[in-house]
Amino acid sequence: MRVLIALIAGSLFGTGLLVSGMTDTTKVQGWLDVFGNWDPTLAFVMGGAILPMLIAWRLTQSRKPLSGGNFPVPPKPEMDRRLIFGSVLFGMGWGLAGLCPGPAMASLSYGGFEGLVFLVAMMAGMFAAPKVGAQLDRIANAT
């Protein structure tokens, strides 16, 4: 049951990304080009994702998932140097590539080579992040 729910949710998410244009790198880069030829249409995509998720978090506070277990606890709103550094790197990668992880995965479904390159780079970054983070922590604690 849990796998079926994940398959349906993932398929719906990927379809939404394709239909909304989030897998089109030029559209995403147009959204980020606020001082040039700005394309504001992805604001509606983001709003269409954020608003239902906000409602879903509120509705799940006193409920249990259909497939068992518990819903994840919302993260604590703490901002530290690791979060800021990671956010800057994520934003730089998103801006340069025109893709973030979800659309990169969705673009694989139609044979996008750029999505495959991005996915490999993203996985390398995910593998390196704990090691780099630990090294940065050692440097920060040494000073």
Side-chain angles (χ1 to χ4, degrees):
M1 176 70 156
R2 191 174 184 144
V3 173
L4 179 63
I5 292 171
L7 178 66
I8 292 169
S11 298
L12 183 62
F13 179 69
T15 302
L17 291 172
L18 287 168
V19 169
S20 67
M22 289 290 290
T23 58
D24 179 4
T25 58
T26 57
K27 189 165 190 71
V28 173
Q29 288 169 336
W31 157 255
L32 297 171
D33 188 12
V34 292
F35 298 114
N37 191 16
W38 187 53
D39 180 2
T41 57
L42 290 185
F44 295 106
V45 174
M46 289 182 195
I50 292 170
L51 292 176
M53 197 61 219
L54 177 67
I55 294 167
W57 275 111
R58 297 288 182 219
L59 293 176
T60 59
Q61 288 178 346
S62 61
R63 297 182 181 192
K64 296 278 185 192
L66 292 174
S67 60
N70 293 314
F71 287 110
V73 178
K76 295 178 183 176
E78 296 176 4
M79 288 184 55
D80 60 1
R81 62 183 166 72
R82 292 183 85 170
L83 176 65
I84 293 169
F85 184 68
S87 299
V88 168
L89 286 177
F90 179 83
M92 287 170 42
W94 188 41
L96 290 171
L99 287 171
C100 64
M105 295 292 288
S107 72
L108 293 175
S109 66
Y110 60 84
F113 179 72
E114 294 86 6
L116 181 62
V117 170
F118 181 83
L119 181 68
V120 170
M122 180 182 70
M123 292 175 71
M126 291 169 65
F127 177 75
K131 293 173 173 55
V132 172
Q135 185 67 22
L136 290 174
D137 286 343
R138 280 194 290 277
I139 292 169
N141 292 335
T143 57

